[in-house]
Amino acid sequence: MNQTAPRVITIPPKPKLAKEKAVQRQLRVAAYCRVSTDDEEQLTSYEAQQTYYTDKIMSNPNWTMAGIFPDEGITGTSAKKRPEFLKMIRLCKKKKIDLILTKSISRFARNTVDCLNYIRALKELGIAVVFEKENINTMESDSEILITMMGAFAQAESESISANVRWGKRQAMREGKVSFQYTRLYGYKRGEDNKPCIIPEQAEVVRRIFDAYLAGDSVRAIKQTLEADGIPSSKGGSEWPVGTIQGILRNEKYCGDALMQKTYISDCISRKVIKNTGQLPMYLVQDNHEAIIDRTIFDRTQAEIARRAGTRAPSKKNSVSGLSCYSSKYALTERLVCGECGTLYRRCTWSKPQGKRIVWRCISRIDYGKKYCRASPAIDEAPLQTAILAAVNTLMSDRSTLIGQVTNAIQTELSPVPGESMSIADVEKRIAELNAKTTELMAVAKANGGYAAYAEQFKAIMDEAAGLKDKKAYILKQQQENKAAALRITKAAEIMQNASPELTEWDESAIRQLVDTVTVLSKDRIRVTLRGGAEMEQELII
């Protein structure tokens, strides 16, 4: 093996190049400008910033213009909403900018986290940011501490401004000052007096939606009907989103009211919109503007929405949540009940050699066999519908007596809460007395040198007050439920009053409005109960 030592060859420098003066290329300098509002005064500042930085960059022989990036009328608390800022950052990542000039830290970002993250990212790329007002260059060693402090001050200023704006808006709400987003409010436009003005053709569509929902149609069925009829949506298109129809049905503005602070912003940094479910007070202004929908119809709609949403599923085998999905296709889907186990019936199609056979079967029997329901019969649809029509016609023949029963039911629903001798006013009066008593007892205890001797008395007052608050909540809940029930019964009385003398053909909508439940007693007998309580048994002719 050759053991010769390795050779080292020296490559000499080129004398001419070493003597030549190094040529330094111009720095590519960009400027970022931002104003947070569209006010004329700020727009003037906005234009002045652009002019100033253009002159400053172009007049420096060592700099070349890499761009002016202006964001007009945009908040500095989030970089996501500043397109020019993000464009500038993208160019920096492509190594097309060497230096960024900006007026101050608050113009660059009012969010301390965003500010530091972007500065650190740019620093890793070797790009400096110069804040002229604070005289800070981010490439200097002590710059991050100063930027953190200044950024925190800018963020605190934003939070203070945000708090002042929120306070002003809530004060306006307390005074009943309502603002409308007309672009999202179908059926209304801004009137000459700055109040909502009804758009007649859209108002008819709103009434149609409410009427169809109360007649038993599902939201999806209403959507299909509107689209089939070629009615333009709120955005002018041919498609009606389900959410839009649901929003119309729940919007109190259609009965002339305005409920404010239904949502709120969590903070000025994330700006997350949160539904107000009791975290903050809400403000309801009644009869604020001209209504499209009668208040009674609106209240009935809300009660119907709650009823459909709270309908229990017949079994949990196919419904993990325990709730059922409302169906408007067949009226008997939520009305035909098994007399043995109390479970709803389901419409089924049996395929036989002789042809298809439509029957209704107990859902418990379908899902679990004879484990829970042993003898519920399968009922053919045709004789079932015939028997129900016969029972309805018989009951409706004595309409005056029937409406009298419904009126009695309304009076029962509006009666005081059973077992409660105190009214809401009585409860509130007693709570005020306990508050006064607490104040007096605190003064006595302080004068006598301590609260320990009066601990039992304080506890007794607090326990009674807690009990009264629970009682008040219970009474209010019962009154609300009674009101919803009374509205449903009132609607039943109206339907009975206006119904045709006799139903000759099966009508899903009419049955849905007239019939409350149909109970299967046996394979040849059912019990029909109308809304309002009237009922009768009817034979099935098979």
Side-chain angles (χ1 to χ4, degrees):
M1 186 175 179
N2 191 0
Q3 299 293 326
T4 57
R7 289 185 302 163
V8 178
I9 300 174
T10 302
I11 300 174
K14 295 180 180 180
K16 290 183 179 180
L17 292 178
K19 292 178 181 178
E20 287 178 358
K21 184 179 179 181
V23 179
Q24 185 179 7
R25 70 173 179 84
Q26 290 179 313
L27 286 177
R28 295 164 296 182
V29 182
Y32 178 70
C33 315
R34 181 184 66 81
V35 292
S36 56
T37 68
D38 294 326
D39 291 344
E40 186 176 348
E41 184 178 344
Q42 288 222 338
L43 289 176
T44 303
S45 169
Y46 170 75
E47 293 170 358
Q49 287 182 58
Q50 293 187 75
T51 303
Y52 166 75
Y53 284 118
T54 302
D55 291 343
K56 183 167 185 174
I57 294 170
M58 296 302 293
S59 60
N60 191 323
N62 297 322
W63 291 354
T64 185
M65 173 66 74
I68 305 292
F69 299 90
D71 279 317
E72 178 185 339
I74 296 175
T75 177
T77 55
S78 174
K80 295 178 182 178
K81 297 181 180 180
R82 293 186 282 160
E84 288 295 314
F85 180 85
L86 295 176
K87 179 182 177 182
M88 180 181 70
I89 297 297
R90 286 195 299 271
L91 291 175
C92 289
K93 290 179 179 179
K94 292 178 181 178
K95 300 294 182 69
K96 294 185 177 181
I97 296 174
D98 300 316
L99 175 66
I100 296 173
L101 303 178
T102 189
K103 181 180 177 182
S104 66
I105 291 173
S106 65
R107 296 299 91 194
F108 190 78
R110 283 186 178 271
N111 180 336
T112 308
V113 175
D114 271 1
C115 185
L116 289 175
N117 285 342
Y118 281 111
I119 285 170
R120 287 168 182 167
L122 293 171
K123 196 172 181 180
E124 288 179 4
L125 294 170
I127 301 170
V129 182
V130 175
F131 301 102
E132 294 190 316
K133 183 179 178 181
E134 294 85 1
N135 194 24
I136 296 174
N137 186 324
T138 58
M139 299 303 287
E140 295 174 356
S141 59
D142 61 344
S143 64
E144 188 159 315
I145 297 173
L146 294 172
I147 291 167
T148 303
M149 292 175 60
M150 297 296 183
F153 291 146
Q155 180 173 325
E157 184 183 359
S158 284
E159 289 170 350
S160 175
I161 293 169
S162 177
N164 291 337
V165 171
R166 284 199 306 270
W167 182 88
K169 288 185 176 181
R170 286 170 186 167
Q171 188 63 28
M173 291 177 190
R174 292 188 192 98
E175 296 171 0
K177 297 177 181 177
V178 183
S179 59
F180 290 88
Q181 292 182 318
Y182 290 97
T183 55
R184 299 183 181 180
L185 188 59
Y186 185 80
Y188 287 102
K189 64 181 179 180
R190 189 188 300 276
E192 294 179 359
D193 57 352
N194 208 31
K195 285 270 192 176
C197 177
I198 292 176
I199 304 173
E201 58 273 17
Q202 292 186 0
E204 285 301 317
V205 178
V206 172
R207 295 187 189 101
R208 176 177 173 177
I209 290 171
F210 275 85
D211 291 342
Y213 191 82
L214 288 175
D217 287 357
S218 66
V219 173
R220 195 163 294 279
I222 296 171
K223 162 189 167 70
Q224 292 169 353
T225 304
L226 294 174
E227 290 175 353
D229 292 346
I231 297 173
S233 67
S234 57
K235 294 182 179 180
S238 59
E239 184 179 354
W240 279 83
V242 169
T244 298
I245 299 172
Q246 290 173 336
I248 288 173
L249 291 169
R250 290 188 174 96
N251 197 336
E252 76 292 336
K253 291 181 177 67
Y254 292 112
C255 71
D257 297 346
L259 181 62
M260 295 178 284
Q261 200 156 254
K262 290 186 276 191
T263 60
Y264 65 95
I265 303 294
S266 58
D267 56 76
C268 67
I269 304 301
S270 67
R271 302 193 66 80
K272 183 179 179 181
V273 178
I274 299 174
K275 185 177 181 180
N276 185 5
T277 57
Q279 304 93 318
L280 295 173
M282 288 190 267
Y283 305 93
L284 177 65
V285 182
Q286 291 189 322
D287 301 320
N288 177 73
H289 52 274
E290 187 180 356
I292 293 176
I293 298 298
D294 184 82
R295 192 182 302 278
T296 305
I297 293 176
F298 181 80
D299 289 342
R300 282 209 306 266
T301 302
Q302 305 320 299
E304 178 64 11
I305 290 171
R307 186 192 69 80
R308 294 186 189 183
T311 304
R312 307 304 300 177
S315 71
K316 290 190 177 181
K317 185 173 182 179
N318 298 315
S319 177
V320 178
S321 67
L323 298 175
S324 71
C325 180
Y326 175 78
S327 172
S328 65
K329 191 171 184 180
Y330 303 107
L332 294 180
T333 298
E334 57 177 11
R335 287 168 177 79
L336 192 59
V337 180
C338 176
E340 181 180 348
C341 67
T343 306
L344 292 174
Y345 266 57
R346 181 186 296 160
R347 190 177 190 267
C348 304
T349 302
W350 287 352
S351 296
K352 300 289 183 180
Q354 300 82 4
K356 291 184 178 180
R357 181 183 171 193
I358 307 298
V359 298
W360 288 81
R361 296 188 66 200
C362 172
I363 294 178
S364 175
R365 189 71 179 273
I366 295 172
D367 290 347
Y368 304 106
K370 295 184 178 181
K371 184 177 180 180
Y372 303 108
C373 186
R374 296 181 177 277
S376 61
I379 307 292
D380 283 285
E381 186 174 67
L384 175 63
Q385 290 180 351
T386 302
I388 293 171
L389 284 175
V392 169
N393 287 330
T394 301
L395 289 168
M396 291 293 290
S397 62
D398 191 6
R399 193 171 306 192
S400 58
T401 304
L402 194 58
I403 293 174
Q405 292 176 354
V406 172
T407 304
N408 291 335
I410 294 173
Q411 292 174 351
T412 302
E413 293 292 348
L414 295 177
S415 62
V417 179
E420 293 296 337
S421 58
M422 297 180 73
S423 65
I424 292 291
D426 294 334
V427 173
E428 291 177 344
K429 181 180 178 182
R430 180 56 183 162
I431 290 174
E433 291 174 356
L434 290 175
N435 289 337
K437 190 174 180 181
T438 302
T439 304
E440 293 174 5
L441 193 59
M442 288 178 68
V444 172
K446 185 176 181 181
N448 293 335
Y451 298 95
Y454 300 90
E456 291 186 5
Q457 295 181 50
F458 277 117
K459 186 178 183 304
I461 293 172
M462 291 174 66
D463 289 344
E464 186 180 352
L468 287 169
K469 289 179 181 178
D470 291 341
K471 186 186 290 291
K472 179 181 177 181
Y474 170 74
I475 294 172
L476 287 172
K477 181 182 177 182
Q478 290 298 114
Q479 287 180 348
Q480 188 174 7
E481 291 176 355
N482 288 350
K483 182 182 178 183
L487 286 170
R488 290 197 299 270
I489 296 171
T490 302
K491 178 63 176 176
E494 291 176 4
I495 293 168
M496 291 172 186
Q497 185 69 46
N498 300 323
S500 59
E502 184 176 357
L503 294 174
T504 56
E505 294 182 358
W506 184 262
D507 186 336
E508 299 286 352
S509 178
I511 295 300
R512 190 181 292 112
Q513 294 179 63
L514 290 170
V515 177
D516 185 65
T517 55
V518 178
T519 306
V520 178
L521 304 177
S522 65
K523 65 178 182 179
D524 55 6
R525 195 167 189 82
I526 60 172
R527 182 172 60 245
V528 179
T529 305
L530 298 188
R531 292 181 181 269
E535 65 180 31
M536 72 170 293
E537 294 187 10
Q538 182 71 34
E539 294 284 343
L540 271 75
I541 301 174
I542 300 174

